[in-house]
Amino acid sequence: MQELIYGCMGLGGSWSGEPHGTEHVDQAAAAVEAALDAGITLFDHADIYRSGKSEAVFGEVLAAEPGLRGRIRLQTKCGIRLNERGLQTHYDLSRDAILERVNGSLQRLRTDHVDILLLHRPDPLADPAEVAAAVGQLMAEGKVRQLGVSNMSGTQIEALQDRLETPVVANQLEMSLLKRAWLESQVLVNHAEHLDYSFPHGTLEYCVRNSITLQAYGSLARGLYTGAEPESPASADAATAELVARLAGEYGSTGEAVLLGWLMKHPAGIAPVIGTVNPERIRACADAARVAREMTRADWYGLWVTARGSNIP
């Protein structure tokens, strides 16, 4: 489904174990309100975001407005463990870990189910049959409605799907006008420049062929083209920011909508994830679908070429 998604990683305060405060709950409530104003109904979480506090503050927002849960969809992720057993990061998609982490997320979110569970990163030690057993149990208990993945190639999804009894419905990847490996891989076949990009070729095509929604995190390029200072006034980033601003004026919209519209124009049906906590910037994204429909082929290619700083082959 091509839509905008609100990414909740910025909610909840710091990444430390320090408890969140009422100001963080208020920030989350303002972000949710702005997202709803922008027509967004899917909210993206992960068990690790802000050490669980992103889910916790969102759960308080849901508790304060009982009718809200019925108006929105929730997705969360599991599979990454931080600062445990002497390791800064490791992955864990064992059966027990999946069950433990999902139950923890449900408690923090104060809900009895998530609409989509995403497996956050590929775990080389994961047994696909074990993953399938955990997912099957969660679905049978009504705690998870659908399953997705994140940061996986088409081949990895295919291997997992062989053991699953439910279809993978989403794959969340970093995709933006700045992070273009997913796009460059489509045109650099049989070209020396393909060595500059590590994106697994064929992943977009696999997802489209199997009706797997591509969710794009980092879609606003962290403000690089809509207000953040470029490294140099003469850089490709600065030129792209100027072009984004000009196109926003021509389309009667915002720079944020131009960046998201550029992603949504792609026929793969990309659903951008918006990570800003600024209510004004969230609302500035509302027009993205219209911009995508109206954006000309020349403008779409113009943004790509300007961002890459050189012509395509």
Side-chain angles (χ1 to χ4, degrees):
M1 180 187 299
Q2 190 177 29
E3 61 180 340
L4 297 179
I5 302 168
Y6 184 69
C8 299
M9 185 174 71
L11 306 178
S14 72
W15 283 83
S16 72
E18 182 181 351
H20 66 269
T22 56
E23 69 275 17
H24 302 122
V25 178
D26 292 342
Q27 180 192 53
V32 170
E33 181 180 2
L36 292 172
D37 288 345
I40 297 170
T41 59
L42 178 56
F43 293 81
D44 173 74
H45 288 271
D47 57 346
I48 61 168
Y49 289 167
R50 310 287 161 163
S51 302
K53 290 180 289 187
S54 295
E55 291 179 330
V57 296
F58 202 96
E60 291 196 36
V61 173
L62 289 178
E65 190 175 342
L68 179 59
R69 181 65 182 94
R71 297 165 53 200
I72 67 172
R73 290 167 295 141
L74 291 177
Q75 71 178 25
T76 195
K77 309 179 199 72
C78 69
I80 299 178
R81 304 187 83 109
L82 300 178
N83 302 313
E84 296 182 27
R85 302 187 181 185
L87 296 169
Q88 182 176 342
T89 306
H90 72 285
Y91 306 143
D92 190 351
L93 289 178
S94 63
R95 178 181 177 277
D96 289 347
I98 292 173
L99 297 176
E100 172 202 343
R101 289 305 181 108
V102 171
N103 284 321
S105 289
L106 294 177
Q107 289 180 343
R108 288 187 293 273
L109 288 167
R110 304 195 191 191
T111 187
D112 61 356
H113 75 280
V114 290
D115 297 275
I116 308 173
L117 171 67
L118 302 185
L119 306 178
H120 207 159
R121 290 271 181 184
D123 174 12
L125 293 179
D127 178 348
E130 214 177 302
V131 174
V135 171
Q137 179 176 333
L138 290 167
M139 290 187 133
E141 293 171 350
K143 295 177 179 179
V144 170
R145 300 285 173 84
Q146 292 182 300
L147 180 71
V149 298
S150 181
N151 302 298
M152 286 197 188
S153 69
T155 302
Q156 289 171 316
I157 299 172
E158 186 175 30
L160 179 63
Q161 187 67 78
D162 285 345
R163 296 300 186 97
L164 294 169
E165 295 184 4
T166 187
V168 172
V169 301
N171 186 15
Q172 192 173 115
L173 302 166
E174 185 168 16
M175 307 170 76
S176 69
L177 188 58
L178 176 66
K179 299 294 185 178
R180 301 178 309 277
W182 59 276
L183 177 60
E184 302 287 349
S185 73
Q186 291 192 297
V187 300
L188 295 178
V189 175
N190 198 35
H191 191 277
E193 196 180 346
H194 86 276
L195 296 173
D196 296 335
Y197 298 94
S198 62
F199 189 82
H201 187 67
T203 294
L204 257 66
E205 292 80 2
Y206 177 86
C207 290
V208 171
R209 189 166 66 247
N210 291 279
S211 301
I212 298 172
T213 299
L214 289 156
Q215 299 183 356
Y217 70 84
S219 58
L220 290 174
R222 295 169 179 80
L224 181 63
Y225 306 128
T226 51
E229 284 293 325
E231 291 184 5
S232 167
S235 67
D237 293 341
T240 304
E242 291 179 8
L243 179 56
V244 167
R246 178 170 68 78
L247 291 176
E250 291 179 4
Y251 287 103
S253 191
T254 64
E256 288 83 0
V258 168
L259 290 175
L260 301 178
W262 182 82
L263 280 171
M264 297 170 82
K265 182 80 173 176
H266 192 281
I270 298 166
V273 181
I274 301 162
T276 178
V277 298
N278 184 325
E280 291 184 9
R281 287 198 73 208
I282 297 170
R283 291 186 175 93
C285 299
D287 204 26
R290 178 187 69 83
V291 173
R293 290 191 301 270
E294 296 180 5
M295 186 176 291
T296 67
R297 183 176 290 261
D299 286 342
W300 189 89
Y301 272 94
L303 284 163
W304 180 14
V305 170
T306 305
R308 78 195 310 266
S310 63
N311 286 320
I312 55 176

